Amino acid sequence: MLARCRQLLDMAPPRPTAAAPDYRDLHEALTEKSLRTCPICGDGHMTVVETVSRAYPRPAFIDTS
């Protein structure tokens, strides 16, 4: 239906856009340090092994008083 709407409005189909760069690529471009390699040995692939939860719960609302 979208193609038909564009046809009725005499609009060209949108041009494909490039995919947004990954945050790791942006970080490497800015700092010249890769987030994909181990910061200690400089070799190997970094993967998430465990996620640590917060030590205290986040408040349900922000008190601005």
Side-chain angles (χ1 to χ4, degrees):
M1 293 185 77
L2 186 56
R4 177 68 177 143
C5 291
R6 286 193 178 105
Q7 180 185 17
L8 292 171
L9 293 171
D10 196 28
M11 292 177 64
R15 289 181 274 161
T17 58
D22 188 25
Y23 72 93
R24 293 171 287 212
D25 296 330
L26 292 174
H27 183 271
E28 188 170 357
L30 292 171
T31 64
E32 298 180 359
K33 293 181 182 178
S34 177
L35 294 176
R36 291 185 169 92
T37 57
C38 176
I40 304 300
C41 68
D43 191 29
H45 183 75
M46 297 289 290
T47 58
V48 176
V49 176
E50 184 178 355
T51 304
V52 180
S53 62
R54 293 176 176 258
Y56 54 90
R58 179 179 283 176
F61 63 92
I62 297 173
D63 185 9
T64 59
S65 59

